[in-house]
Amino acid sequence: MKKKVYIVDDHALFSQSLSVLINHFEEYEVTFQGQNGRDLIFRLQDNTHEAPDIILLDLNMPVMNGVETMDWVMKNHPSIPVLVLSMQDDANLILEMIKKGVKGYLLKDITPTLLKKALDDTLNFGFYHTEKVTKALINSLHQNKPHMYEIKDKEMTFLKLACTEKTYKEIADEMHMSPKTIDGYRESLFEKLEVKSRVGLVLYAIKNNIYRL
Amino acid sequence: MKKKVYIVDDHALFSQSLSVLINHFEEYEVTFQGQNGRDLIFRLQDNTHEAPDIILLDLNMPVMNGVETMDWVMKNHPSIPVLVLSMQDDANLILEMIKKGVKGYLLKDITPTLLKKALDDTLNFGFYHTEKVTKALINSLHQNKPHMYEIKDKEMTFLKLACTEKTYKEIADEMHMSPKTIDGYRESLFEKLEVKSRVGLVLYAIKNNIYRL
DNA sequence: ACAGGAAAGGGGATTTTTCCCCTTTTTAAT
DNA sequence: ATTAAAAAGGGGAAAAATCCCCTTTCCTGT
């Protein structure tokens, strides 16, 4: 019996190509391709379909992104292993996803051979991590950065608006708050995200897919 | 005789998957995969290899990006048709690439069937354009925006530095110029790019791959 | 009911950004 | 060589962003 793989990625050409590739692996077959987290949820909730043995999840999706999707999967189908397949090579993001319980974090520039190994290892041993990821993990422990920050809802709203050409005053109006409060969110985010200018906020937001171009 | 396809994309998993997919099309075979423009140039310059019938080119590559690569191909191998395969759905970028002579601009969310049609059409009729692209073209003619002034070298350097947390004063130091000159570049770019704040510059630079995260 | 903490908001100063209008220097074409 | 345009640089001011320290308001747990 072949192992069933679900692919969730908004780039149809990629996921279809990847399907073909994976179907060439003797032991695997792709039984579902979704464009975003919502597609995956509908599929998993519809139990006329057999659950997959593993999920390959992209992070950067327009509708329901990988982070949110992962939360849902862990809550509702914690036994299905998830491998992230992303273009973003960001240590913090990797750590965040691993904390959320993904079984591996693969960059889209890996070779098919490694992808195969990642699938095999995940099913056999429960996880697959590249050296890079391992290194990132060790690093994070080393520099015991307690950067256990949490971006609040309002701060998140502000952060998104900061990625526009609006002035803080205009943002304050839009959020129906005092410019001083907005300034507080800014200050707070500067500290949490370790940046020192609005440009830093924008870069953070884009890198972490909080603001989509 | 199968048509030879070259794929240039920095995401190995994508290009390898895509290869497998394309090799499934009866009339095509992928005879080369490069990670960036430089790889492609080396390959094309080495004439022990037969030239391809068509090139699939990604835009967003770290080493030598699609825009530069396209310039080189048009200059040195103008007869080889190039199809852009990008994730960036940006009207101005599409126009720029078409001006440079690409035979089609495909988004990575197309279906394999459409990709096949794009390859066929390009070889048979010389080009393949989706409705979206056609519409963008017509639009651009319609609103005869004389917009596309060119960004000068110094301005480009400044633009990249503006995407950091440096102040303009610091940027001036780094570029060994007066802050007033830097201010001139800023002003000039604001007008050319139709933005009105530094955030606008950053967004433009990222959207157009001038600054890479 | 109330203490403690977080969220909201303020005062005020400094720095940076943005804008407008102007002069000098460099470059390129005739 | 002459000249016109482009590039570099300047003065000065208003607007926006940044910073620091403080008060009020709103929750929340006991």
Side-chain angles (χ1 to χ4, degrees), chain B residues 32-187:
Chain B
F32 170 75
Q33 294 170 41
Q35 308 261 88
N36 54 57
R38 220 175 36 196
D39 289 357
L40 177 70
I41 290 177
F42 285 146
R43 172 76 183 201
L44 287 175
Q45 279 176 334
D46 174 357
N47 41 25
T48 61
H49 303 292
E50 240 184 302
D53 294 290
I54 195 163
I55 296 173
L56 287 176
L57 181 66
D58 183 30
L59 291 187
N60 178 192
M61 296 178 294
V63 174
M64 182 176 176
N65 72 34
V67 182
E68 305 165 53
T69 306
M70 185 58 204
D71 285 338
W72 187 90
V73 172
M74 276 313 274
K75 198 164 175 184
N76 299 277
H77 296 267
S79 63
I80 304 175
V82 176
L83 287 180
V84 168
L85 200 47
S86 163
M87 299 193 309
Q88 293 170 78
D89 183 7
D90 177 81
N92 283 336
L93 186 58
I94 295 176
L95 286 174
E96 188 188 342
M97 293 310 291
I98 289 178
K99 273 187 204 144
K100 284 193 189 301
V102 304
K103 297 300 188 293
Y105 191 108
L106 311 174
L107 291 176
K108 283 191 181 172
D109 60 3
I110 61 165
T111 60
T113 315
L114 270 181
L115 174 64
K116 172 80 162 50
K117 178 164 167 48
L119 291 170
D120 290 346
D121 282 10
T122 303
L123 292 178
N124 292 331
F125 310 128
F127 65 92
Y128 170 85
H129 291 307
T130 56
E131 259 186 65
K132 173 170 275 172
V133 171
T134 311
K135 234 175 249 174
L137 276 168
I138 290 171
N139 255 342
S140 84
L141 294 179
H142 235 276
Q143 53 178 144
N144 64 327
K145 220 195 253 171
H147 69 309
M148 261 307 167
Y149 293 98
E150 74 174 312
I151 300 176
K152 300 297 165 60
D153 270 14
K154 293 279 180 58
E155 286 171 355
M156 188 61 88
T157 307
F158 162 72
L159 182 50
K160 284 174 184 165
L161 289 168
C163 298
T164 67
E165 295 205 63
K166 292 175 169 68
T167 66
Y168 290 150
K169 164 116 185 32
E170 289 166 343
I171 293 176
D173 285 349
E174 196 162 327
M175 291 180 67
H176 306 293
M177 315 211 93
S178 154
K180 277 302 180 179
T181 308
I182 296 301
D183 194 47
Y185 296 155
R186 183 196 53 72
E187 194 83 54

Side-chain angles (χ1 to χ4, degrees), chain A residues 152 154 176-183 185:
Chain A
K152 302 296 166 60
K154 292 278 179 60
H176 306 293
M177 317 213 90
S178 153
K180 277 302 181 179
T181 307
I182 295 301
D183 194 46
Y185 296 154

